[in-house]
Amino acid sequence: ALALAVAECGRVVLPILIEASGVGGLVLESPPFPKLLAAAAGLGRVGARLDEDGIARSVDLREGVGQASWPLFAEELLRVAKLAYTPSVPPVAEPDIQPGLIRAETRRVEFAGAPGTIPSISYARVLQGDVSPDFFAGKTVLVGTTATGLGDFLPTPLSAYAQPMSGVEVQANIWQSMRTQRLIGLLPTWVTALSCALLALVPMLWLTRLLPFSGLLVSTFWMIIPALVSALLLEIFHVWLPPSGALLAGFV
């Protein structure tokens, strides 16, 4: 019945899971079962990357076992809905098969707000007829679990571990970031290191010429510059330049 409903709708995107099998550390791609897979209008990869601090703020635009071929679930939603968006990475025409999990094009998500910012409707209210079908007209609807213990919950930059966000709301935030073209790019490591080194060396221009107290005042004001540059790059160009290296070197 579910497969028939999905086929009749014609605009349903289903998830593919990439998860560890627990046997020898193997990673497997787990698509929906065949009838649902045949009925779906698209297939996208769900999940978010946990950064070194355990916070979910990043996604890989392409990922897969052997080759980075699967697009994000949010990207498939945009494609099926025919909403304006720029494809993240061109599909691989002649795949270069490699062992293990392959990731490509890491981006950071611009979250709309704390958990609960994106509205949700209980499926029970829909089944009971409490919500008019017109409410969903023209909207992209993500279906998932939000009750504690029934689904995945992830710490985000806006809530950390105090109030984790449901996986379906994380996917909604990824969708919104892609829809508004506000996924945040990461600069190459060498660019970040070089930029921080140059910003950290700038105070040497006046430290050798000013009295200690004057040099301290100027250096203190200078600390605003790396943070301001990082903020402007993020706001205008949607690129993240971590300023901590330059700030730490300046204080030292």
Side-chain angles (χ1 to χ4, degrees), residues 144-161:
T145 55
T146 57
T148 303
L150 291 183
D152 56 327
F153 282 79
L154 300 170
T156 68
L158 298 178
S159 61
Y161 296 95

Side-chain angles (χ1 to χ4, degrees), residues 3-82:
L4 288 174
V6 169
E8 182 179 355
C9 176
R11 297 187 302 276
V12 177
V13 176
L14 295 178
I16 180 170
L17 300 178
I18 299 179
E19 52 191 350
S21 67
V23 180
L26 294 176
V27 181
L28 301 177
E29 297 175 347
S30 302
F33 69 87
K35 286 187 178 181
L36 270 178
L37 184 60
L43 197 64
R45 172 179 45 84
V46 295
R49 178 195 281 257
L50 297 179
D51 290 345
E52 290 80 2
D53 56 359
I55 302 297
R57 61 170 67 87
S58 303
V59 292
D60 298 295
L61 300 185
R62 286 289 187 275
E63 188 179 36
V65 177
Q67 59 174 317
S69 58
W70 289 109
L72 283 169
F73 182 73
E75 184 175 327
E76 277 295 281
L77 284 175
L78 292 170
R79 183 189 65 79
V80 170
K82 298 181 180 179

Side-chain angles (χ1 to χ4, degrees), residues 179-196:
R179 176 74 176 89
T180 57
Q181 304 287 336
R182 293 188 68 85
L183 281 178
I184 300 167
L186 302 179
L187 292 172
T189 303
W190 70 270
V191 173
T192 300
L194 181 60
S195 301
C196 288

